[in-house]
Amino acid sequence: AEFLHPDEQKFFDVALGLVQTAGRLVRDAFDTPTSVVMIKSSSTDLVTETDQAVEKMLIDGLSKAFPDHKFIGEESVSGGAKIEFTDAPTWIIDPIDGTTNFVHRIPMIAICVGLTIKKQLRAGIVFNPITRELYTAQTGRGAFKNGFPIHVSNNKTINTSVLCASMGIHNVKAMGGKWLEMAQSNIRKQIEAGVRGHRSFGSAAINMIMVSQGCVDAYVEYGLHAWDMAAPAVVLLEAGGVMFDPSGSDFNLMGRKILCAATKELAMEISSKLTHADFEPEA
Ligand code: IPD
Ligand code: CA
Ligand code: CA
Ligand code: CA
């Protein structure tokens, strides 16, 4: 596989160093919870000083190394502002995916740094600093956990699958009662279709990683943002997984929803069971 940019390896190496430093910051804050918790849109939408400090540290470090690069970071995108996604090398950053887990001291969180060039996914780093599991991938070069190759399962049917179906509670709130009904009925339909089990880890990135390493067979969620999906998407694809819009059409990084799976057959079976809707909330 060809690099789209001659310096891609350097981009990846610099980002990896910064993520490792960020990991120490998050681990210290997790072990000694002193960071102030703030409420964003509601009591189900939190941010802490650690989220903000980590995002700033990553963006400062990357922009110092690569002054012409662009950034899309969760805590730097101010409420409702339209995200500008261009052909330039763009770092898509979620400083802590799983902030509710972080605040509640559930050790399932991930620092996510993804890179796009010409709007194509090129690299993804997903690091859980608590369990010290580091997932890395570059397009065309495989997916790794702490340096060892990982692969999705080869599950093709719902009745041998463990599915991850998260409702994203603040999204359900943002969309109102109709949305709650859809989320509930979609989970009911999966149970009726004979799914072996359901899991949800409170972090979109960890949900996608669970598919990437073959523990979970598929994952559906509505309401996500590019920063939840970019980095783990590279890991998932390089681990042999597939990614679609839940309706079964092409995946769109800016489309706010995902259906990912170990195999295309499984993805299509799940897609055919679900009720679909567009996700266009105010916030
Ligand atoms: C959230 C988590 C959660 C998902 C939400 C995301 P955050 O990210 O990934 O699993 O359901 O939609 O916003 O806010 O913890 O970075
Ligand atoms: Ca958040
Ligand atoms: Ca997130
Ligand atoms: Ca976050």
Side-chain angles (χ1 to χ4, degrees), residues 130-170:
I130 313 306
T131 60
R132 301 183 197 226
E133 289 165 305
L134 171 68
Y135 298 89
T136 54
Q138 288 172 282
T139 298
R141 288 172 159 70
F144 303 89
K145 171 183 179 174
N146 294 336
F148 294 95
I150 55 170
H151 209 271
V152 294
S153 77
N154 60 10
N155 223 325
K156 295 185 176 58
T157 58
I158 280 192
N159 58 30
T160 50
S161 290
V162 174
L163 300 189
C164 188
S166 171
M167 294 207 286
I169 209 93
H170 61 269

Side-chain angles (χ1 to χ4, degrees), residues 40 46 51 55 74-75 93-99 110 227-228:
K40 286 164 86 175
L46 308 175
D51 298 73
E55 181 158 322
E74 178 181 12
E75 310 305 345
I93 299 176
D94 191 337
I96 299 179
D97 186 50
T99 295
W227 48 77
D228 301 309

Side-chain angles (χ1 to χ4, degrees), residues 21 35 77 94 117-118 132 178 188 220 225 234 245 256 267 269:
T21 307
S35 108
V77 169
D94 191 337
I117 301 177
K118 302 200 171 91
R132 301 183 197 226
K178 225 181 99 200
R188 207 188 62 223
V220 190
H225 288 89
V234 187
D245 182 276
R256 309 237 19 217
E269 189 185 357

